[in-house]
Amino acid sequence: TDTLTIASSASGGGFTINTENFSGDGSDTTFDLSNTISDEDHTQIYIDGVYQSKSNYSTSGATITFSTAPQTGSNNIEVVHYIMGGSQSVETDSFNGNASTTDFTLTSEPSNKNHLQVYIDGVYQSKSNYSVSGTTISFTTAPQTGTGNIEVVNVKI
């Protein structure tokens, strides 16, 4: 378990990033964290380094439940949990790609592009692959077809 705490003397508080690793065995679907999850949007999960869409798991209290058991591996599951304080939050937007649409509307405007993490089919997208103007994210190439295959994580600090 690794923890990074960011604090500020300015108003609004700080937040903690807690990382925990688990080993998949191909049959277990539930894993218990050391902290309670207040909002599923405050989690990021990677299996063998591949980002997992929120549709692949659910959270309840300190438990994460996968829809399909993660494959066998030693510490192959990494759970990143943002524990927020003050006015900070994490907002996740999910979109369906159709291989032709390049513009999508975010729930709220990010304070800057560096506060975004964008994934298509679990693969992190370089900031050079998209631009942001107001609440619109525009991809240089239309994301491939998929249901909920585009996730945009907006870390609001």
Side-chain angles (χ1 to χ4, degrees):
T1 302
D2 296 319
T3 301
L4 170 67
T5 301
I6 300 172
S8 171
S9 59
S11 63
F15 67 94
T16 300
I17 302 171
N18 189 47
T19 303
E20 296 184 53
N21 292 295
F22 301 94
S23 297
D25 64 9
S27 62
D28 287 331
T29 58
T30 60
F31 298 86
D32 293 321
L33 299 172
S34 59
N35 293 294
T36 299
I37 299 168
S38 63
D39 187 328
E40 191 172 276
D41 280 349
H42 295 173
T43 62
Q44 291 184 340
I45 298 179
Y46 302 85
I47 298 177
D48 290 326
V50 177
Y51 176 80
Q52 300 300 298
S53 168
K54 303 280 188 267
S55 63
N56 292 342
Y57 65 92
S58 61
T59 61
S60 178
T63 301
I64 293 189
T65 303
F66 291 94
S67 53
T68 302
Q71 64 269 18
T72 301
S74 177
N75 287 322
N76 62 325
I77 304 164
E78 181 177 54
V79 178
V80 179
H81 176 208
Y82 296 94
I83 303 168
M84 308 312 243
S87 62
Q88 290 79 22
S89 66
V90 176
E91 184 174 83
T92 302
D93 287 307
S94 180
F95 304 104
N96 301 326
N98 63 9
S100 63
T101 302
T102 57
D103 293 349
F104 298 88
T105 303
L106 302 171
T107 301
S108 63
E109 182 176 351
S111 58
N112 73 58
K113 190 174 177 178
N114 289 328
H115 290 183
L116 295 180
Q117 296 174 344
V118 178
Y119 301 89
I120 299 176
D121 288 327
V123 178
Y124 176 79
Q125 299 299 301
S126 167
K127 301 214 183 311
S128 64
N129 291 345
Y130 61 89
S131 61
V132 179
S133 177
T135 59
T136 301
I137 184 168
S138 301
F139 292 94
T140 54
T141 302
Q144 62 271 20
T145 300
T147 303
N149 64 323
I150 305 163
E151 282 196 11
V152 179
V153 180
N154 183 0
V155 181
K156 301 172 131 194
I157 50 175

